[in-house]
Amino acid sequence: MADETARPLLTIVIATFNASEFLPATLASIETQPAAALDRCEVIVVDGQSRDTTVEVAKASRVISRIVTEPDEGIYDAMNKGAKLANGEWLHFLNAGDVFTKSTSLATTLAALDRADHAGNVWMVAGAQNMAGGQGPGREIPNMPHLWWRHALGLQSHCHQATWFKNDAFHAIGGYSLGFGLAGDFDLILRIGLASRPFEERSLLIGYLGGGVSEKHGHLVPELLHRIRTERLNLSGFAQKLDRCLMVAVSVRNQAKIKLGALRSDWSRSAPRKPL
């Protein structure tokens, strides 16, 4: 792991709670990365006082730099705690079950962060795929090129697993807010995106587990995004009413895309295969 005499380039924060089923895959994907890449990183597990064997699984891994287990106020609180403990110049947040897509992904990430540093960027996005909760093939999300207005309207997917932040910039904007439920990552990207554009690494680096709370309760998201825009952009009067109308239109559009995607997936599975 990171050389104790030098500041690591990257801190990977893994937030867990009763995650013994999924954490091994995340740790295995980190453990298979090259030693030279691991030497530039530290890995911190912030656990919400799990009642299963999550902590024991973490303790058995050779790549973990630090483990904290204590009650928290949810995933974004755990991620903020990890950020406060981080020594790295950059921050990366994973959940149990999220993985690097290749054994070279961490090295690619670090090289991209070096380029982002050189260019003066304070955050970075890279390619990611939703693994559908482990129930199906990965589906790459269309998160690049990053367009702030598309993100702000809820038209462009992002995930914290494929987003990296400069440590000082993350703290300067206040980290993750705990006041917006499952839309905390949307809010953070909205705020930091107002300040600057991200560095874009077009490689597919991350497979995120998916199938979690934000997808199971996706019907709550449009109202949350409207509330975030109202508070962060100081909308009132006509602007707030217009945003609510846009919220409804975008929600209908996104639901239609989801249903169309499901129909295509069903058709693809049921379509007859031609013999080779």
Side-chain angles (χ1 to χ4, degrees), residues 70-149:
E70 60 187 25
D72 57 46
E73 296 180 44
I75 187 170
Y76 293 117
D77 184 35
M79 290 156 73
N80 284 339
K81 287 182 178 182
K84 289 179 180 177
L85 298 171
N87 296 308
E89 297 177 29
W90 287 82
L91 299 171
H92 183 202
F93 300 96
L94 295 176
N95 300 342
D98 302 331
V99 297
F100 287 104
T101 55
K102 299 178 181 178
S103 61
T104 56
S105 292
L106 182 56
T108 301
T109 297
L110 298 177
L113 293 178
D114 282 333
R115 295 195 300 274
D117 266 334
H118 183 73
N121 295 92
V122 299
W123 65 299
M124 181 178 91
V125 295
Q129 58 183 353
N130 184 332
M131 303 305 294
Q135 301 302 309
R139 174 180 57 83
E140 190 166 356
I141 64 172
N143 63 333
M144 288 182 287
H146 171 78
L147 296 173
W148 182 86
W149 65 270

Side-chain angles (χ1 to χ4, degrees), residues 186-197:
F186 171 89
D187 170 60
L188 181 62
I189 293 173
L190 179 81
R191 286 181 282 134
I192 201 166
L194 275 172
S196 66
R197 286 189 53 79

Side-chain angles (χ1 to χ4, degrees), residues 130-253:
N130 184 332
M131 303 305 294
Q135 301 302 309
R139 174 180 57 83
E140 190 166 356
I141 64 172
N143 63 333
M144 288 182 287
H146 171 78
L147 296 173
W148 182 86
W149 65 270
R150 284 182 60 82
H151 170 73
L153 290 176
L155 294 171
Q156 184 171 47
S157 300
H158 275 290
C159 63
H160 63 257
Q161 296 93 329
T163 312
W164 291 256
F165 303 99
K166 287 285 284 189
N167 196 330
D168 54 357
F170 177 87
H171 291 291
I173 65 171
Y176 286 106
S177 171
L178 307 187
F180 298 118
L182 52 84
D185 49 357
F186 171 89
D187 170 60
L188 181 62
I189 293 173
L190 179 81
R191 286 181 282 134
I192 201 166
L194 275 172
S196 66
R197 286 189 53 79
F199 183 88
E200 296 183 0
E201 170 54 52
R202 296 304 180 99
S203 303
L204 180 61
L205 299 180
I206 299 295
Y208 69 95
L209 182 62
V213 173
S214 61
E215 293 178 24
K216 293 177 181 177
H217 299 280
H219 62 286
L220 302 174
V221 171
E223 185 65 40
L224 281 172
L225 303 195
H226 170 64
R227 183 158 68 87
I228 290 169
R229 289 189 296 265
T230 297
E231 293 187 25
R232 297 302 190 189
L233 304 178
N234 295 315
L235 302 181
S236 61
F238 175 76
Q240 186 176 4
K241 292 178 181 178
L242 177 60
D243 188 83
R244 178 167 287 281
C245 292
L246 289 171
M247 175 199 78
V248 173
V250 170
S251 178
V252 170
R253 176 256 192 194

